[in-house]
Amino acid sequence: MSKVQPRTLSGFMELLPARQVQFDRMVEILRRTYSLYGFTPLDTPLIEASEVLLAKGGGETEKQIYRFMKGDTDLSLRFDLTVPLAKYVAQNYGHLTFPFRRFQIGKVYRGERAQRGRFREFYQADIDVIGDGKLDISNEAEIPSIIYRAFSALGLKRFQIRVNNRKILNGFYAMLGLTEQSGEIMRTVDKLDKIGPDKVKELLVEAGLTQEQAGEILGFTAITGANQEVLTALEGYRGRNEIFDQGLDELTTVTKYLAAFGVPETHFAVDLTIARGLDYYTGTVYETTMLDHPEIGSICSGGRYDNLAEYYTDKQLPGVGISIGLTRLFFVLEDQGYLNDGLNTAPADVLVLPMTEDLSPAIALATQLRQAGIRAQIHAEQKKFKQKISYADKLHIPYVIFLGEDEIQSGTAAVKDLATGEQVKLPPAEAVAHIQAGLDKRNQGTPILDKGE
Amino acid sequence: MSKVQPRTLSGFMELLPARQVQFDRMVEILRRTYSLYGFTPLDTPLIEASEVLLAKGGGETEKQIYRFMKGDTDLSLRFDLTVPLAKYVAQNYGHLTFPFRRFQIGKVYRGERAQRGRFREFYQADIDVIGDGKLDISNEAEIPSIIYRAFSALGLKRFQIRVNNRKILNGFYAMLGLTEQSGEIMRTVDKLDKIGPDKVKELLVEAGLTQEQAGEILGFTAITGANQEVLTALEGYRGRNEIFDQGLDELTTVTKYLAAFGVPETHFAVDLTIARGLDYYTGTVYETTMLDHPEIGSICSGGRYDNLAEYYTDKQLPGVGISIGLTRLFFVLEDQGYLNDGLNTAPADVLVLPMTEDLSPAIALATQLRQAGIRAQIHAEQKKFKQKISYADKLHIPYVIFLGEDEIQSGTAAVKDLATGEQVKLPPAEAVAHIQAGLDKRNQGTPILDKGE
């Protein structure tokens, strides 16, 4: 038979087993972290009617969409988890209780040009809090603590949550009489990290600003320092614009509650250069950077918005949310050597090797191990003893149990720790406890190993 | 602004929050169960090159495929998890260790005609054991124990795993000189449950069999009774066909190890009417039925096959696997009132109600609860007290904590159990323990409540 070459599409991450275990462990930690903050899981379809998914229409995104006909139906694959959320909330409004806090971890699709580290199918891990008409600022204050806890639980240490408030920016540009140009200005200022202040100033002047205006803007974005210093500097602008003052109040509140939320000062920075998705966000905005890898850009971003679902409903649904691009993050972590390969990635904790023809005792022992929550595999293939040990070695299975006539007669099991070579003969119940204790030790640690501090 | 009607495509399951929690709990139990047997998780792309996915080609499936062009690339959405596994194993053969045991729980797509209880996007929860060249029969014997443990862990009681062996069927038809017609015969016999023996006999004769042959076949499929009785009856055919004898040996082995694997006789039946996917399976085949809902058909099926990846590689890769159609199962369970609504589906365990303007103490308390693993939400919206309690009620959040000046001064928290109305004032650490004990009680139980027994 002629064969088809098996291959995976470029831009689609498909992991080998040990890596998949590492990825899944990260997903599990994010699920748990999000749950701790009272977010409920959602799972929306990957396919939506194009008319619904693209209600907002236009823009760069549309070109990247996987869109196709099935029969007479115009379908699209979701390109983020926010639009499906908007649809869900508008559609199920009467069945939901607000504030509605949901998390969703799922795949999204964008037909970007394939290049290293860019994915066409990738996981996003999102949370959003949606209010009905109103939403208290304390929700915006809570977000940094969720980001902090999530990345800390993953094992990341050297990261920083950078926060700004769109009202401060809008108010500031209003002071300068530059409200109409503010969108374009912010897009330019957004390039500060990449092209530097001189080039930004040049671009601003080219765009029609006076030298003085451009200078004011750069002076403003140059306000840096400890959070309290930045807030104090911002107080100097107070009283000149209502929106600005409101934004400053919000930023002050967000900063004030950090300590109670358990976020250390070291991991949080008020950063006036951050604007994010210009039209959508209306209050606090967030970015998160790896201090040792600024080139990666933000690994967790989001912000406050006033209208989640305006394309679907007249209801005012303000919210705040963040998103982690998990597939790209995982790629970067692997690429930069951050993955903790010391954590158990074996498919089983114990490999049971029956040494008798009748497998019943080995099966009964494996059943007992499984009932105790220990992952057990029976290796009953017609292979040489050495090959079976090599099987456990290759998969990094921590324990092997030999069960021969001797052990069966004496009601014991010979348990070998493959890392230390230590072997003990124990009655099954004690073997379970012995292995469980060893596993508890081995399973400690985080999926990310961040050596820096 | 004119609005787009938010809607979800028909045939796509999208759950309300409490139901989603129930669904996710079932997924989690399946993950854990599969892991206990040494299966490693895989996650393959939802999109594959059509050429690769449809290498086998033809058949009913192809019409149902979601297939489309993106630029110049011919793409298809996966319609099961087996073909992607075959691709994965062929492609990564050199990186895998055999027997390779993997589980995958993921969505697949089939553009079936939409009707109640039929889904176009649905989860499959699969396991497969793949051997390199050979695979021991003990793997086939283990499968019923995985099915038994999985459904038992979900809470299902009245189900039966029905097992047959394709070699017994093939051998039997060879004895009758009906090897060439066996495919068609088995398709007809497969209808026994639906149309009854008389109609089946009629169809067989119409298809050209003699009355005697048809009678022999019905006599064979009528062999029922306790497993040992069936095996004994089958022994009566031994010695007439080599394949038959081999199949009988295998079936005997599978049955022999049931007790050691912890599968009670009540939940396992040798059933000679089961054939399954005629071309693919070559040994043991499995179906699982709900005893009180036979009309649903099999809720977990699979079997032994000789060649996983013959379209991609010359390597002989025999395997055995089963699949649970999770979305359809969930639909049926909900429809038939099997879901345990007593299990906690709230997004949070505790709703913290700050009664002071400064939220710091409430935030600090919520932080402490979360550090103890308790899911906590702070309700700081500008709402009346009664509305906040009603929020907790509607979401079935089990505990509310009031934190007013009194409590802050005295270093306590007022914890109210919303189910009993009981309210206690406790220092934070004791409040944590109090809540944890209550939750442990509440979180006992299985997602499925099967009253029958």
XYZ file of all heavy atoms in Angstrom, chain B residues 279-351:
566
model
N -14.229 -3.849 9.715
C -12.934 -4.106 9.099
C -11.756 -3.888 10.041
O -10.700 -4.471 9.880
C -12.750 -3.180 7.883
C -13.896 -3.381 6.912
O -14.360 -4.523 6.790
O -14.320 -2.386 6.293
N -11.956 -3.026 10.984
C -10.845 -2.506 11.755
C -10.417 -3.445 12.878
O -9.243 -3.724 13.077
C -11.286 -1.156 12.310
C -10.226 -0.341 12.964
C -9.073 0.008 12.272
C -10.382 0.093 14.265
C -8.102 0.771 12.874
C -9.420 0.874 14.870
C -8.280 1.202 14.182
O -7.335 1.964 14.781
N -11.404 -3.956 13.612
C -11.087 -4.743 14.807
C -10.760 -6.186 14.468
O -11.330 -6.777 13.545
C -12.240 -4.679 15.802
C -12.442 -3.295 16.362
C -13.592 -2.578 16.126
C -11.434 -2.700 17.127
C -13.766 -1.294 16.633
C -11.583 -1.422 17.633
C -12.746 -0.723 17.387
O -12.895 0.534 17.887
N -9.852 -6.763 15.232
C -9.370 -8.115 14.916
C -9.374 -9.051 16.117
O -9.099 -10.232 15.957
C -7.919 -8.036 14.387
O -7.134 -7.308 15.351
C -7.862 -7.325 13.053
N -9.641 -8.542 17.299
C -9.621 -9.405 18.491
C -10.793 -9.064 19.401
O -11.927 -8.984 18.951
N -10.476 -8.820 20.676
C -11.520 -8.481 21.640
C -12.240 -7.193 21.220
O -11.597 -6.247 20.771
C -10.899 -8.271 23.035
O -9.997 -9.352 23.308
C -11.971 -8.213 24.104
N -13.551 -7.202 21.333
C -14.327 -5.973 21.099
C -15.214 -5.715 22.317
O -15.634 -6.650 23.005
C -15.192 -6.057 19.819
C -14.331 -5.888 18.580
C -15.962 -7.369 19.758
N -15.455 -4.413 22.553
C -16.168 -3.993 23.753
C -17.328 -3.071 23.409
O -17.205 -2.214 22.526
C -15.242 -3.201 24.690
C -13.884 -3.802 24.892
C -12.822 -3.489 24.037
C -13.648 -4.685 25.942
C -11.569 -4.045 24.215
C -12.396 -5.247 26.132
C -11.356 -4.919 25.263
O -10.123 -5.472 25.451
N -18.414 -3.264 24.136
C -19.482 -2.275 24.170
C -19.929 -2.146 25.613
O -19.755 -3.073 26.402
C -20.673 -2.715 23.305
C -20.391 -2.666 21.829
C -21.660 -2.775 20.983
O -22.741 -2.989 21.551
O -21.533 -2.648 19.757
N -20.476 -0.989 25.947
C -20.948 -0.788 27.315
C -22.338 -0.187 27.248
O -22.545 0.811 26.555
C -20.010 0.169 28.077
O -18.662 -0.253 27.872
C -20.325 0.174 29.565
N -23.261 -0.793 27.951
C -24.636 -0.289 27.887
C -25.140 0.065 29.279
O -24.725 -0.528 30.276
C -25.584 -1.343 27.281
O -25.319 -2.605 27.899
C -25.371 -1.473 25.792
N -26.018 1.056 29.309
C -26.715 1.372 30.551
C -27.914 0.431 30.632
O -28.764 0.436 29.758
C -27.169 2.841 30.539
C -25.999 3.811 30.699
S -26.477 5.562 30.482
C -27.436 5.852 31.982
N -27.964 -0.350 31.695
C -28.984 -1.404 31.783
C -30.397 -0.835 31.736
O -31.295 -1.458 31.185
C -28.784 -2.213 33.074
C -27.532 -3.102 33.077
C -27.361 -3.794 34.421
C -27.610 -4.140 31.966
N -30.572 0.357 32.279
C -31.915 0.938 32.294
C -32.197 1.770 31.050
O -33.304 2.292 30.894
C -32.096 1.788 33.558
C -31.909 0.945 34.815
O -32.336 -0.221 34.802
O -31.307 1.443 35.791
N -31.213 1.934 30.208
C -31.399 2.702 28.975
C -30.705 2.051 27.789
O -29.811 2.642 27.175
C -30.905 4.143 29.169
C -31.708 4.888 30.165
N -32.950 5.399 29.897
C -31.473 5.158 31.467
C -33.447 5.970 30.975
N -32.565 5.841 31.946
N -31.136 0.838 27.451
C -30.514 0.151 26.304
C -30.717 0.933 25.001
O -29.913 0.824 24.082
C -31.241 -1.195 26.259
C -32.513 -0.984 27.009
C -32.220 0.046 28.048
N -31.758 1.760 24.969
C -32.062 2.500 23.733
C -30.950 3.486 23.374
O -30.850 3.917 22.216
C -33.414 3.230 23.871
C -33.411 4.500 24.731
C -33.428 4.238 26.242
O -33.368 3.059 26.652
O -33.481 5.225 27.017
N -30.133 3.843 24.339
C -29.050 4.799 24.087
C -27.938 4.158 23.260
O -27.193 4.836 22.571
C -28.498 5.307 25.440
C -29.532 6.175 26.135
C -27.200 6.070 25.255
C -29.291 6.304 27.624
N -27.845 2.860 23.343
C -26.756 2.173 22.657
C -25.512 2.189 23.519
O -25.581 2.458 24.724
N -24.380 1.921 22.914
C -23.144 1.780 23.674
C -22.592 3.137 24.106
O -22.537 4.074 23.321
C -22.095 1.050 22.839
O -20.878 0.988 23.546
N -22.204 3.250 25.385
C -21.632 4.503 25.882
C -20.109 4.433 25.957
O -19.444 5.422 26.252
C -22.213 4.880 27.261
C -22.017 3.742 28.269
C -23.703 5.207 27.140
C -22.403 4.116 29.698
N -19.566 3.267 25.666
C -18.100 3.129 25.620
C -17.780 1.902 24.785
O -18.157 0.796 25.146
C -17.528 2.995 27.026
S -15.753 2.693 27.041
N -17.095 2.108 23.683
C -16.854 1.011 22.752
C -15.407 1.011 22.300
O -14.717 2.025 22.400
C -17.739 1.168 21.511
O -19.065 1.460 21.870
N -15.026 -0.141 21.777
C -13.676 -0.196 21.238
C -13.264 -1.621 20.976
O -14.106 -2.519 20.905
N -11.974 -1.824 20.852
C -11.515 -3.173 20.596
C -10.043 -3.229 20.230
O -9.328 -2.225 20.249
N -9.667 -4.441 19.880
C -8.303 -4.738 19.479
C -8.184 -4.616 17.965
O -9.076 -5.051 17.227
C -7.992 -6.169 19.911
C -6.909 -6.879 19.142
C -5.531 -6.564 19.676
N -4.509 -7.118 18.815
C -3.297 -7.474 19.233
N -2.976 -7.342 20.501
N -2.416 -7.944 18.393
N -7.102 -4.004 17.515
C -6.853 -3.898 16.079
C -5.400 -4.279 15.799
O -4.555 -4.216 16.701
C -7.166 -2.485 15.574
C -6.673 -1.383 16.488
C -5.386 -0.886 16.377
C -7.493 -0.856 17.484
C -4.926 0.107 17.226
C -7.032 0.141 18.344
C -5.750 0.619 18.208
O -5.282 1.588 19.062
N -5.110 -4.642 14.556
C -3.766 -5.143 14.249
C -2.855 -4.096 13.639
O -1.639 -4.232 13.661
C -3.860 -6.336 13.293
C -4.187 -7.617 14.051
O -4.012 -7.616 15.293
O -4.634 -8.587 13.415
N -3.480 -3.057 13.103
C -2.694 -2.120 12.313
C -3.202 -0.703 12.506
O -4.090 -0.249 11.804
C -2.838 -2.492 10.834
C -1.528 -2.934 10.265
O -0.475 -2.408 10.631
N -1.593 -3.905 9.365
N -2.613 0.005 13.456
C -3.090 1.355 13.733
C -2.851 2.288 12.567
O -3.700 3.092 12.204
C -2.375 1.918 14.975
C -2.675 3.387 15.283
C -4.091 3.536 15.797
C -1.685 3.956 16.287
N -1.661 2.213 11.985
C -1.206 3.316 11.140
C -0.771 2.852 9.763
O 0.167 3.380 9.178
C -0.067 4.061 11.849
N -1.484 1.888 9.214
C -1.022 1.295 7.956
C -1.021 2.285 6.787
O -0.365 2.049 5.784
C -1.849 0.058 7.593
C -3.321 0.346 7.448
C -4.125 -0.920 7.101
O -3.594 -1.798 6.416
O -5.288 -1.008 7.538
N -1.765 3.371 6.909
C -1.783 4.362 5.825
C -0.557 5.272 5.854
O -0.298 5.990 4.917
C -3.063 5.183 5.881
C -4.271 4.303 5.748
C -4.974 3.873 6.866
C -4.651 3.822 4.495
C -6.050 3.013 6.749
C -5.721 2.957 4.363
C -6.415 2.549 5.492
O -7.465 1.691 5.360
N 0.168 5.224 6.996
C 1.297 6.134 7.169
C 2.644 5.433 7.242
O 3.675 6.062 7.039
C 1.131 6.953 8.448
C -0.193 7.691 8.531
C -1.060 7.467 9.584
C -0.557 8.611 7.537
C -2.277 8.146 9.666
C -1.766 9.283 7.616
C -2.618 9.048 8.679
O -3.809 9.710 8.749
N 2.629 4.139 7.600
C 3.912 3.488 7.868
C 3.827 1.986 7.608
O 2.747 1.400 7.679
C 4.352 3.721 9.336
O 5.529 2.957 9.596
C 3.271 3.297 10.329
N 4.967 1.389 7.307
C 5.031 -0.064 7.142
C 5.118 -0.775 8.484
O 4.969 -1.986 8.562
C 6.262 -0.432 6.305
C 6.023 -0.133 4.832
O 4.866 -0.320 4.387
O 6.971 0.294 4.155
N 5.413 -0.016 9.527
C 5.525 -0.630 10.850
C 4.181 -1.250 11.249
O 3.125 -0.649 11.059
C 5.880 0.441 11.893
C 7.224 1.100 11.664
C 8.280 0.505 12.560
C 9.599 1.243 12.416
N 10.295 0.968 11.112
N 4.261 -2.441 11.794
C 3.072 -3.103 12.306
C 2.818 -2.569 13.716
O 3.632 -2.749 14.612
C 3.317 -4.615 12.336
C 2.258 -5.424 13.044
C 1.233 -5.969 12.051
O 1.346 -5.767 10.847
N 0.218 -6.644 12.575
N 1.701 -1.899 13.886
C 1.397 -1.291 15.182
C 0.028 -1.762 15.683
O -0.986 -1.106 15.477
C 1.411 0.237 15.062
C 2.735 0.872 14.628
C 2.547 2.342 14.267
C 3.788 0.736 15.721
N 0.018 -2.924 16.349
C -1.250 -3.424 16.886
C -1.628 -2.648 18.142
O -0.760 -2.087 18.821
C -0.936 -4.873 17.233
C 0.527 -4.872 17.561
C 1.157 -3.813 16.677
N -2.904 -2.621 18.423
C -3.321 -1.879 19.612
C -4.675 -2.298 20.091
O -5.365 -3.120 19.478
N -5.047 -1.711 21.227
C -6.402 -1.893 21.731
C -6.824 -0.565 22.346
O -6.012 0.121 22.971
C -6.488 -3.053 22.752
C -5.567 -2.843 23.944
C -7.915 -3.254 23.221
N -8.062 -0.197 22.097
C -8.505 1.105 22.596
C -9.998 1.157 22.783
O -10.742 0.323 22.261
N -10.402 2.141 23.557
C -11.839 2.393 23.740
C -12.088 3.888 23.680
O -11.175 4.700 23.852
C -12.364 1.869 25.090
C -11.445 2.333 26.236
C -12.535 0.364 25.068
C -12.030 2.122 27.600
N -13.329 4.244 23.439
C -13.705 5.643 23.322
C -15.042 5.861 24.025
O -15.967 5.055 23.879
C -13.830 5.998 21.840
O -14.235 7.340 21.693
N -15.101 6.943 24.790
C -16.380 7.350 25.392
C -16.844 8.606 24.662
O -16.086 9.570 24.549
C -16.221 7.648 26.896
C -15.777 6.382 27.646
C -17.531 8.182 27.489
C -15.480 6.615 29.124
N -18.052 8.583 24.155
C -18.625 9.773 23.520
C -19.213 10.660 24.601
O -20.376 10.557 24.967
N -18.358 11.552 25.123
C -18.672 12.214 26.387
C -19.820 13.216 26.273
O -20.650 13.333 27.183
C -17.403 12.909 26.886
C -17.341 13.231 28.361
C -17.638 12.016 29.213
C -15.979 13.795 28.706
N -19.858 13.937 25.170
C -20.896 14.962 25.021
C -22.275 14.318 24.943
O -23.213 14.745 25.615
C -20.608 15.803 23.760
O -19.324 16.420 23.926
C -21.656 16.890 23.565
N -22.365 13.274 24.133
C -23.642 12.573 24.037
C -24.014 11.929 25.376
O -25.166 11.992 25.806
C -23.568 11.506 22.938
C -24.829 10.668 22.863
C -25.043 9.990 21.540
N -26.026 8.931 21.654
C -27.338 9.123 21.743
N -27.812 10.352 21.730
N -28.167 8.105 21.861
N -23.030 11.336 26.053
C -23.304 10.727 27.356
C -23.837 11.775 28.329
O -24.819 11.543 29.037
C -22.023 10.085 27.918
C -22.141 9.496 29.325
C -23.162 8.359 29.359
C -20.785 8.986 29.824
N -23.191 12.940 28.334
C -23.621 14.003 29.248
C -25.040 14.441 28.925
O -25.867 14.655 29.820
C -22.656 15.194 29.150
C -22.899 16.238 30.199
C -22.410 16.077 31.480
C -23.629 17.385 29.915
C -22.639 17.036 32.460
C -23.868 18.349 30.879
C -23.359 18.177 32.157
N -25.318 14.560 27.639
C -26.668 14.942 27.212
C -27.693 13.940 27.740
O -28.720 14.311 28.300
C -26.741 15.018 25.686
C -28.125 15.204 25.158
C -28.691 16.464 25.088
C -28.892 14.113 24.777
C -29.982 16.640 24.617
C -30.185 14.273 24.313
C -30.736 15.543 24.238
N -27.396 12.660 27.582
C -28.317 11.608 28.017
C -28.483 11.633 29.536
O -29.590 11.541 30.060
C -27.790 10.227 27.551
C -28.515 9.106 28.264
C -27.927 10.091 26.040
N -27.367 11.791 30.240
C -27.421 11.804 31.704
C -28.282 12.958 32.201
O -29.082 12.805 33.125
C -26.003 11.917 32.287
C -25.095 10.704 32.059
C -23.666 11.036 32.484
C -25.598 9.480 32.821
N -28.107 14.120 31.565
C -28.923 15.266 31.969
C -30.386 15.003 31.638
O -31.284 15.199 32.460
C -28.445 16.538 31.246
C -29.245 17.767 31.675
C -28.895 19.025 30.904
O -28.336 18.916 29.797
O -29.187 20.115 31.409
N -30.592 14.519 30.436
C -31.941 14.267 29.941
C -32.684 13.270 30.829
O -33.889 13.400 31.055
C -31.814 13.712 28.508
C -33.087 13.893 27.717
O -33.675 14.983 27.788
O -33.493 12.937 27.034
N -31.972 12.265 31.309
C -32.593 11.195 32.083
C -32.519 11.450 33.586
O -32.842 10.559 34.381
C -31.920 9.853 31.749
C -31.990 9.462 30.294
C -33.401 9.068 29.858
O -34.224 8.660 30.674
N -33.700 9.211 28.573
N -32.057 12.639 33.971
C -32.055 12.986 35.397
C -30.988 12.292 36.217
O -31.147 12.090 37.412
N -29.877 11.938 35.589
C -28.804 11.249 36.300
C -27.791 12.189 36.962
O -26.946 11.751 37.723
C -28.018 10.342 35.344
C -28.612 8.975 35.116
C -29.623 8.780 34.185
C -28.149 7.869 35.828
C -30.155 7.518 33.960
C -28.678 6.614 35.613
C -29.689 6.442 34.679
O -30.212 5.198 34.462
N -27.819 13.472 36.598
C -26.767 14.354 37.121
C -27.029 14.684 38.587
O -28.146 15.011 38.980
C -26.690 15.632 36.287
C -26.240 15.435 34.834
C -26.224 16.758 34.092
C -24.868 14.764 34.767
N -25.978 14.599 39.371
C -26.075 14.856 40.806
C -26.007 16.356 41.074
O -24.935 16.931 41.196
C -24.931 14.131 41.513
C -24.931 14.357 43.016
O -25.822 15.028 43.552
N -23.943 13.788 43.694
N -27.172 16.982 41.188
C -27.185 18.429 41.394
C -26.854 18.808 42.830
O -26.756 19.987 43.159
C -28.543 18.998 40.986
C -28.743 18.968 39.472
O -27.733 19.134 38.746
O -29.875 18.764 39.006
N -26.684 17.793 43.688
C -26.314 18.069 45.072
C -24.845 18.442 45.221
O -24.453 19.085 46.196
N -24.032 18.057 44.247
C -22.602 18.399 44.318
C -22.420 19.884 44.028
O -23.064 20.434 43.136
C -21.805 17.590 43.296
C -21.224 16.263 43.762
C -20.370 15.676 42.641
C -20.358 16.455 44.999
N -21.519 20.486 44.772
C -21.217 21.910 44.653
C -20.910 22.334 43.203
O -19.972 21.839 42.601
C -20.018 22.207 45.552
C -19.860 23.684 45.839
O -20.566 24.513 45.270
N -18.935 23.999 46.728
N -21.705 23.237 42.664
C -21.390 23.780 41.342
C -21.118 25.283 41.408
O -21.030 25.945 40.375
C -22.558 23.558 40.354
O -23.741 24.154 40.900
C -22.798 22.096 40.092
N -21.017 25.810 42.612
C -20.795 27.253 42.773
C -19.409 27.635 42.276
O -18.478 26.834 42.342
C -20.945 27.638 44.235
N -19.264 28.855 41.766
C -17.943 29.316 41.320
C -17.000 29.570 42.492
O -15.797 29.629 42.293
C -18.252 30.613 40.575
C -19.585 31.059 41.075
C -20.326 29.832 41.486
N -17.557 29.732 43.689
C -16.715 30.004 44.861
C -17.262 29.232 46.056
O -18.441 28.876 46.091
C -16.693 31.501 45.170
N -16.386 28.979 47.034
C -16.814 28.322 48.265
C -17.306 29.342 49.275
O -18.147 29.048 50.113
C -15.642 27.532 48.872
C -15.123 26.472 47.909
O -15.950 25.788 47.279
O -13.890 26.355 47.774
N -16.732 30.520 49.202
C -17.040 31.571 50.166
C -17.226 32.892 49.444
O -16.439 33.245 48.564
C -15.887 31.759 51.179
C -16.216 32.861 52.175
C -15.576 30.464 51.893
N -18.260 33.615 49.835
C -18.428 34.990 49.367
C -18.096 35.904 50.542
O -18.750 35.830 51.588
C -19.861 35.221 48.895
C -20.105 36.561 48.194
C -19.411 36.612 46.837
C -21.606 36.816 48.016
